[in-house]
Amino acid sequence: MSKNNEKRRNEILKKLEQQPSLRIKELAEFFQVTTETLRKDLFVLEQRGQVNKTHGYVHRKDGYDELPIEVKVEENTELKDQIARKAIEFVSDYSVVYLDPGSTTLSVMK
């Protein structure tokens, strides 16, 4: 995978944060790539669950669950740390603990 491709995909996601729907043709012109190249990027983003494509447009996925983990770990850090400290009080030495995936449980693991 090319670094340029991933960089462009990240820029697409940033643009979608500012505007929830974008025309594919305009995005291709902005990035100075063919619409086919852009569609390949959008296919990858769609497979990752980060965007939805419709005829001629790309849309951001709404909802907190749709945000990448890199974003979620930076949100509400103080609250997540408080939750983690409280949760640790319930764990004794040599305990086995199952943690679901998520940004709050990541704070517990720290």
Side-chain angles (χ1 to χ4, degrees):
M1 172 182 352
S2 167
K3 287 185 181 182
N4 288 337
N5 292 351
E6 199 58 37
K7 183 178 178 182
R8 188 172 49 246
R9 291 172 191 147
N10 287 332
E11 287 297 318
I12 291 168
L13 293 174
K14 286 180 185 175
K15 289 183 84 53
L16 285 169
E17 288 174 9
Q18 299 166 355
Q19 188 175 345
S21 294
L22 298 167
R23 288 187 55 146
I24 292 172
K25 184 177 178 181
E26 290 173 5
L27 272 177
E29 290 170 3
F30 176 81
F31 289 110
Q32 298 178 336
V33 296
T34 65
T35 53
E36 184 60 32
T37 297
L38 193 71
R39 287 180 201 284
K40 290 176 185 177
D41 287 335
L42 297 177
F43 176 78
V44 170
L45 293 173
E46 191 171 40
Q47 292 297 308
R48 292 178 184 169
Q50 295 175 297
V51 300
N52 287 324
K53 285 189 316 180
T54 58
H55 185 73
Y57 289 87
V58 60
H59 311 277
R60 73 173 180 221
K61 279 203 168 179
D62 291 326
Y64 185 76
D65 289 282
E66 305 304 332
L67 292 175
I69 189 72
E70 295 84 8
V71 174
K72 292 197 286 186
V73 295
E74 298 297 325
E75 293 183 339
N76 302 312
T77 55
E78 188 176 313
L79 180 60
K80 290 175 185 179
D81 288 343
Q82 289 174 358
I83 293 168
R85 284 191 295 277
K86 189 64 176 177
I88 290 170
E89 292 176 13
F90 296 95
V91 179
S92 59
D93 290 342
Y94 307 106
S95 295
V96 175
V97 178
Y98 174 80
L99 298 172
D100 283 338
S103 59
T104 302
T105 53
L106 187 59
S107 294
V108 174
M109 293 189 319
K110 291 179 184 176

